[in-house]
Amino acid sequence: MASRPKMTGRAFYESIGSPRVVLAPMVDQSEFAWRVLTRSFMPDDAAHSLLAYTPMLHSRLYGVDPKYRRKMFEPTRSKIRSSSLPTRKAAVAQNSSSQKATQEHDLFLDGNPSCDRPLTVQFCSNDAEDFLAAAQRVAPYCDAVDLNLGCPQGIARKGHYGAFLQEEWSLIRDMISTLARELPVPVTAKMRILETKEKTLEYARMIVNAGASILTVHGRRREQKGHITGVADWTVLRYLREQLPPETVLFASGNILLYEDIQHCLDLTGFDAVMSAEGNLCDPSIFAPPPLPGTKSREYWRGSDGKGGYRMDAVVRRYLDILYRHVLEVDPPQRPPLHIPNEGKLPSVSTSHASEPPKKKQKQESSTEAQQKVQSPNLLAVRPHLFSLLRPLVAKHTHIRDALAKAQPGDMAAYEHILYLIEVVTAEALVEHQRGNEHVAEHAEKRKSDVPKETAKTDVPDEENSSVATAKRCWRPWWVCQPHVRPLPAEAIAKGSITLGKKAKQQLQADESLAKDVGLPPQGSSTTVQPDANSTERIEVPKEGLVCG
């Protein structure tokens, strides 16, 4: 890994291939294996057109806790060297020395040039020294380091980071300028819009002037989360593009559900690239153009209306194969080709074997016990990923949902069995669909919207300004990867899920005019970590499913 001169701003962006699509940082959900899976759908000639972010790391923990470092970021087989460099000159020297000392055989997963670049490592932080110390450790293995200024979750309020720093401009300026001055790779930042477009512009300009080489802007405000997530405001993003210097590199985030939304966002905002989080969790191929009509593929399904998508069984195969080859470093098992209609005998499985109940007198490990044995974030993330990916499939085939719920981290035999169950129901569905017995129109009508019937009353916005229109646009058969469309805030209010105060209602009414697309990051939980055995300090960090961007 030869060192290269530090570039910043647009020169840096161009040096990594001017990527137009970006995989968002997601806690325990944008780990190495998922990044490789997402990249695998990109055309061969566009391998570097996707920039990926790691899950958000806690800078304080990363600097002081070796176990946390090893668990959360695995660029080499050996331990990552310690670093506490006071100047950029020393940092560059250390970076060059580390790169020369790191032999090719020692490279492992995160940031591996053969399969995981370009890569940005994201940290949350509220201290410039902590941020720099953590960033120096990962600098030899990534292209940039990002500061999370967008997390709206309660854990960020408690921990004093993310979007809850947006009133502390001097602190943000200090953290970014310190890394811009001292770190051998560029520093970037991810923020949310503020209460007005003018204030958002002032905030964005401060971050860029402090030294951020790239600025990602999520088009929702800090309070837009949970039931009141609503839609991202692309008009504010367009305003930023018009007001900031043209050399400023800007990434847009929010409202990306389908591949075609990417170009739509680029056209409307004028930004350089588009970032997606939950849209990618539901469909890791979201950044890649679909195969051309007429292309024969076992992996991709296309209906008579032209709509299509990658089959879930095909995506799960790819995902497990990546885990075998890269994480476990073994060959994947031999499997028969994916079934397509009019070819061969249908795979079958007995009902009694469907969920593989545990044998009698055999003690089952709890999920917590299994996680303690399996430390790799790539193996711990499998079950959450499959639940997100297979949501419509497991809603219909509950025996697969039950089998997935019982699968423990690292139990590849269990996941192979789940894959087989998926292949069986998918093959059956494809045959029935071809015979015309699937009644696709009927199913499409049922799945126009994920909004309960109670919301289809007069106090809900008309169909074209509700999630119904989005659900219609996004609908695919249950065996095809597809976005999860959630109710808009007005629909949740109509159902009685939430009650808003006067100010919140006024803001909601202003947001309703933007209801063209919808996307809601998954909610999650947190856990408390002790930095070391002799410390009384307790640091709360997010767990799987908590999107902190």
Side-chain angles (χ1 to χ4, degrees):
M1 299 187 302
S3 61
R4 63 183 182 187
K6 179 178 178 179
M7 297 183 181
T8 58
R10 189 159 294 278
F12 161 68
Y13 176 62
E14 292 173 351
S15 75
I16 60 173
S18 302
R20 305 284 279 177
V21 288
V22 186
L23 173 57
M26 297 175 285
V27 174
D28 291 347
Q29 300 279 267
S30 59
E31 78 292 343
F32 168 83
W34 193 258
R35 297 195 299 266
V36 174
L37 174 64
T38 301
R39 295 182 196 275
S40 73
F41 293 98
M42 302 299 291
D44 292 339
D45 59 352
H48 295 287
S49 61
L50 169 68
L51 168 64
Y53 281 55
T54 66
M56 184 195 76
L57 308 178
H58 194 292
S59 68
R60 168 86 175 119
L61 274 177
Y62 198 87
V64 301
D65 188 348
K67 290 183 179 179
Y68 180 83
R69 282 198 298 273
R70 186 61 184 168
K71 177 183 176 182
M72 302 306 295
F73 194 68
E74 302 177 281
T76 63
R77 300 177 189 279
S78 58
K79 293 182 180 179
I80 301 176
R81 293 175 174 81
S82 177
S83 176
S84 55
L85 307 173
T87 65
R88 183 191 168 196
K89 183 177 180 180
V92 172
Q94 163 70 10
N95 189 44
S96 177
S97 175
S98 295
Q99 289 180 338
K100 290 178 180 178
T102 302
Q103 301 298 318
E104 186 174 343
H105 70 270
D106 193 41
L107 296 177
F108 191 32
L109 301 178
D110 298 283
N112 193 313
S114 68
C115 57
D116 195 29
R117 291 294 186 95
L119 178 70
T120 294
V121 178
Q122 190 190 64
F123 287 99
C124 67
S125 187
N126 55 24
D127 181 273
E129 291 185 6
D130 285 348
F131 189 23
L132 178 60
Q136 286 172 336
R137 290 182 181 273
V138 302
Y141 313 106
C142 66
D143 296 281
V145 169
D146 186 75
L147 176 62
N148 184 325
L149 297 174
C151 181
Q153 309 294 348
I155 186 175
R157 182 192 294 274
K158 293 178 185 177
H160 189 218
Y161 62 79
F164 297 95
L165 294 182
Q166 65 187 32
E167 287 81 22
E168 301 185 45
W169 290 19
S170 60
L171 172 59
I172 293 172
R173 188 181 294 109
D174 183 34
M175 288 193 290
I176 293 176
S177 63
T178 296
L179 265 69
R181 183 175 60 252
E182 308 287 354
L183 198 67
V185 298
V187 60
T188 67
K190 186 172 187 284
M191 58 168 273
R192 286 189 166 229
I193 63 173
L194 305 187
E195 57 272 17
T196 67
K197 63 181 183 180
E198 292 79 14
K199 193 69 173 177
T200 303
L201 173 62
E202 187 180 357
Y203 184 48
R205 185 174 282 139
M206 178 274 294
I207 294 172
V208 172
N209 289 342
S213 287
I214 295 174
L215 180 61
T216 301
V217 185
H218 188 99
R220 295 181 176 92
R221 300 179 306 281
R222 181 170 60 192
E223 61 272 19
Q224 286 183 274
K225 56 186 176 181
H227 283 299
I228 58 170
T229 295
V231 295
D233 190 346
W234 288 353
T235 64
V236 176
L237 274 58
R238 181 70 191 186
Y239 176 75
L240 294 180
R241 177 71 286 172
E242 293 171 346
Q243 299 299 318
L244 291 170
E247 63 269 19
T248 305
V249 182
L250 297 171
F251 293 171
S253 177
N255 296 354
I256 306 301
L257 295 176
L258 298 171
Y259 171 75
E260 51 263 36
D261 295 336
I262 295 172
Q263 190 59 51
H264 185 50
C265 179
L266 292 172
D267 292 341
L268 288 182
T269 64
F271 274 34
D272 295 280
V274 171
M275 176 181 284
S276 176
E278 191 179 11
N280 167 264
L281 292 180
C282 297
D283 180 5
S285 72
I286 190 172
F287 299 117
L292 295 174
T295 303
K296 292 184 178 180
S297 172
R298 292 181 183 272
E299 293 189 314
Y300 194 87
W301 179 90
R302 182 177 276 110
S304 58
D305 61 356
K307 290 184 178 181
Y310 280 90
R311 292 167 47 171
M312 291 180 181
D313 55 353
V315 174
V316 175
R317 273 198 181 195
R318 280 200 192 200
Y319 183 32
L320 295 184
D321 285 354
I322 287 167
L323 291 170
Y324 284 121
R325 291 192 177 100
H326 294 277
V327 180
L328 301 173
E329 298 183 283
V330 297
D331 291 331
Q334 294 294 317
R335 312 184 191 98
L338 291 172
H339 182 82
I340 57 176
N342 299 325
E343 181 181 291
K345 184 180 179 181
L346 278 172
S348 62
V349 62
S350 65
T351 304
S352 61
H353 183 64
S355 58
E356 284 199 332
K359 297 178 180 179
K360 290 183 179 180
K361 297 183 180 181
Q362 180 180 358
K363 182 180 178 182
Q364 288 292 102
E365 284 187 323
S366 69
S367 179
T368 301
E369 290 172 337
Q371 288 184 20
Q372 289 174 349
K373 291 184 177 180
V374 177
Q375 292 297 313
S376 170
N378 298 285
L379 298 177
L380 292 172
V382 177
R383 187 168 61 179
H385 273 309
L386 293 186
F387 269 121
S388 296
L389 180 70
L390 303 173
R391 184 190 298 266
L393 186 149
V394 298
K396 182 177 180 65
H397 299 281
T398 56
H399 67 289
I400 299 179
R401 178 199 63 198
D402 296 341
L404 184 55
K406 294 175 183 177
Q408 298 301 322
D411 188 352
M412 297 303 290
Y415 290 116
E416 279 294 322
H417 176 66
I418 291 167
L419 170 60
Y420 180 62
L421 297 179
I422 296 168
E423 291 176 354
V424 169
V425 298
T426 301
E428 293 172 349
L430 288 169
V431 171
E432 289 300 308
H433 180 272
Q434 188 182 51
R435 291 173 180 168
N437 296 329
E438 186 66 15
H439 303 299
V440 175
E442 178 184 346
H443 283 278
E445 192 67 22
K446 288 180 180 179
R447 294 200 66 244
K448 278 181 180 179
S449 170
D450 291 330
V451 184
K453 291 181 180 179
E454 300 93 286
T455 63
K457 299 179 181 178
T458 55
D459 53 355
V460 178
D462 63 275
E463 183 176 297
E464 291 307 311
N465 289 320
S466 73
S467 62
V468 173
T470 304
K472 280 184 174 181
R473 181 174 69 91
C474 295
W475 182 86
R476 303 291 187 274
W478 54 261
W479 64 82
V480 174
C481 293
Q482 56 195 274
H484 177 54
V485 180
R486 300 174 185 263
L488 290 169
E491 295 164 332
I493 292 172
K495 182 185 175 184
S497 300
I498 54 175
T499 302
L500 300 180
K502 182 178 179 180
K503 183 177 180 181
K505 285 182 179 178
Q506 291 175 344
Q507 185 62 61
L508 175 61
Q509 291 171 354
D511 290 342
E512 286 177 355
S513 63
L514 302 170
K516 302 297 182 184
D517 301 295
V518 62
L520 178 64
Q523 300 303 300
S525 57
S526 61
T527 186
T528 301
V529 176
Q530 184 177 2
D532 58 70
N534 299 320
S535 173
T536 59
E537 183 181 11
R538 296 292 188 274
I539 299 176
E540 193 174 13
V541 295
K543 292 175 67 178
E544 63 191 35
L546 192 64
V547 176
C548 288

